[in-house]
Amino acid sequence: MGEDKRLAAVVALAQGMAAAHTPRECWQAAALGACHALDGSFAALSMWERGLGRLRVLVNVGDRAPDEEEFPEAETYPVHQFPEITEFLHERWAGGGGPNAWVETAEGAAAGTPGYFHQRVAALRRRGRGCCVVAPVVLHGRAWGELYVARPAGRTLFARADADFATVLAAVVAAGIAQTERLEEARRLAFTDALTGLANRRAVDVRLEEAVEQHRAEGVVVSLVVCDLNGLKRVNDTLGHSVGDRLLERFGSVLSLCGAMVPGALAARLGGDEFCLLAVGQPAGAVVKAADELCRRASELELGEGVACGVASTGEPIGEVRDARRLFRLADAAQYRAKAMRLDRPVVAGREGPDDPVVRLADEPPPSRAERRRFRGRRP
């Protein structure tokens, strides 16, 4: 491959990874780009899981063998089977060299040889491949994993120039992975409450909109628990905001624990002393049970004064739910009723018959002020 074609291949690889929206798309773009650039038939990207002492395959692309999934869930190999990642690479760096790629064939080692690795050679033979080039991926100054590109038996073997080019490609892949990690962290922070580590209001809004659409299309049950932590202002005024923050953190942990009773539930802090639990596809009764447990545990917190908790679920007789706002209004009205009546249990919208006061309150024309506090100061 000429220099111009190689440069174009590098640019295509970088652009493909930059266009990825998720880690999986990033891994796939890296493997496909490298496979094309090196004129291979198969490529894989693997990550070194240091704490577990294993090399985990993230993606396989190209002509895959029957036992090779595109995104394998459990394709891992003990690192001791691939000593280059823990021994050869570090020894090379210690001697002042770089993490260069090398070639292996079905007959044994070839260009840029760090040593003979029986497991890799055996895998080439077993899968009908004639050779492979292996390039270390180095991230933040240490071995992150490996980029692997293979050709079938009978094709031209990779040469020293191919190994050198693979080293360049691995550096481009490392840069792309680093960028994806930064973007994922930014996305995580954008949807996470900094104090409690729970989801934030933005995450709830996105998930609830999706859930209500799924409910309208498929009839899936959507349940929302809204709760207001009692006594936070008193704690802040008498003991200080740092103690109030500890109370919020502790309640966040309780909410997360109770949320785990409902598979797939999203626990979130809406802001201030308001929290919520969003469940999709689970029976309303299971959600109410979790809310009951939440009230019980919240009452046992040392500093707080319990929690006012309201539940709205499409699994209850609350009428048609056309949008997320109505479900929020119902849960908020139920929470307000629990607070006004000083109840130590959740109020469930729709449970009091055809003229349910929570449903009636939620469906009254809203005042002009902000919706989240629309029920404050009104009669339950």
Side-chain angles (χ1 to χ4, degrees):
M1 182 182 293
E3 289 299 319
D4 289 344
K5 287 187 177 180
R6 285 191 168 177
L7 177 60
V10 168
V11 171
L13 171 59
Q15 290 176 337
M17 295 186 72
H21 296 290
T22 65
R24 276 193 169 193
E25 290 180 2
C26 175
W27 305 335
Q28 185 183 55
L32 287 171
C35 190
H36 174 73
L38 287 163
D39 192 25
S41 61
F42 170 86
L45 182 67
S46 304
M47 180 177 67
W48 180 12
E49 295 184 324
R50 291 169 180 263
L52 299 175
R54 67 189 186 186
L55 200 64
R56 179 165 71 94
V57 178
L58 302 174
V59 63
N60 294 306
V61 301
D63 297 334
R64 292 181 281 122
D67 63 336
E68 291 172 322
E69 299 176 20
E70 183 175 20
F71 293 105
E73 293 296 327
E75 187 180 351
T76 62
Y77 303 93
V79 172
H80 67 76
Q81 292 184 1
F82 305 96
E84 75 277 5
I85 197 168
T86 54
E87 299 172 13
F88 165 73
L89 292 180
H90 291 173
E91 290 174 6
R92 176 73 70 86
W93 290 340
N100 296 325
W102 64 90
V103 175
E104 292 176 14
T105 75
E107 303 305 319
T113 308
Y116 179 86
F117 302 122
H118 170 74
Q119 289 84 359
R120 206 188 298 277
V121 171
L124 285 173
R125 294 172 180 169
R126 185 172 66 252
R127 290 165 175 157
R129 293 166 187 152
C131 64
C132 67
V133 59
V134 183
V137 176
V138 179
L139 199 61
H140 309 309
R142 64 182 183 180
W144 178 89
E146 292 184 352
L147 178 64
Y148 173 101
V149 180
R151 287 175 180 169
R155 286 272 304 277
T156 303
L157 298 179
F158 287 118
R160 174 70 265 176
D162 295 310
D164 292 340
F165 186 38
T167 299
V168 174
L169 294 174
V172 176
V173 167
I177 290 170
Q179 175 66 11
T180 298
E181 288 183 350
R182 286 192 291 270
L183 290 174
E184 280 298 298
E185 178 65 9
R187 292 190 186 102
R188 186 189 68 79
L189 293 174
F191 290 95
T192 303
D193 176 63
L195 178 63
T196 63
L198 301 175
N200 62 15
R201 177 61 189 263
R202 181 184 291 108
V204 173
D205 286 343
V206 171
R207 183 69 185 99
L208 186 56
E209 290 287 349
E210 295 173 347
V212 170
E213 285 299 315
Q214 191 177 3
H215 165 70
R216 294 182 63 189
E218 306 169 21
V220 171
V221 175
V222 181
S223 303
L224 184 67
V225 180
V226 171
C227 43
D228 195 285
L229 183 59
N230 296 326
L232 179 63
K233 185 178 186 304
R234 177 190 59 78
V235 171
N236 285 336
D237 291 345
T238 60
L239 301 176
H241 285 271
S242 61
V243 180
D245 285 349
R246 288 205 300 273
L247 175 59
L248 289 168
E249 289 179 288
R250 290 187 62 188
F251 180 72
S253 297
V254 170
L255 179 64
S256 179
L257 177 66
C258 294
M261 297 171 59
V262 184
L266 178 69
R269 181 187 177 203
L270 300 175
D273 56 3
E274 291 188 303
F275 293 76
C276 84
L277 198 64
L278 171 60
V280 182
Q282 299 298 323
V287 178
V288 174
K289 183 178 179 181
D292 268 320
E293 180 67 8
L294 177 64
C295 290
R296 185 187 70 79
R297 288 179 177 269
S299 68
E300 296 174 353
L301 290 176
E302 181 181 353
L303 296 172
E305 299 172 7
V307 64
C309 189
V311 182
S313 174
T314 61
E316 298 286 342
I318 57 174
E320 186 178 7
V321 175
R322 294 185 177 182
D323 55 40
R325 293 181 65 187
R326 181 165 190 265
L327 201 64
F328 241 127
R329 287 198 306 271
L330 285 161
D332 206 24
Q335 182 269 128
Y336 167 68
R337 183 170 174 82
K339 194 176 191 73
M341 298 180 69
R342 300 182 183 277
L343 299 177
D344 59 358
R345 56 177 173 77
V347 169
V348 183
R351 287 277 177 98
E352 296 188 37
D355 194 32
D356 186 275
V358 171
V359 176
R360 188 175 68 249
L361 179 61
D363 290 341
E364 286 180 4
S368 58
R369 58 185 176 170
E371 182 179 316
R372 291 295 298 130
R373 293 289 181 175
R374 59 172 298 206
F375 304 116
R376 303 301 185 258
R378 297 168 64 186
R379 294 182 179 178

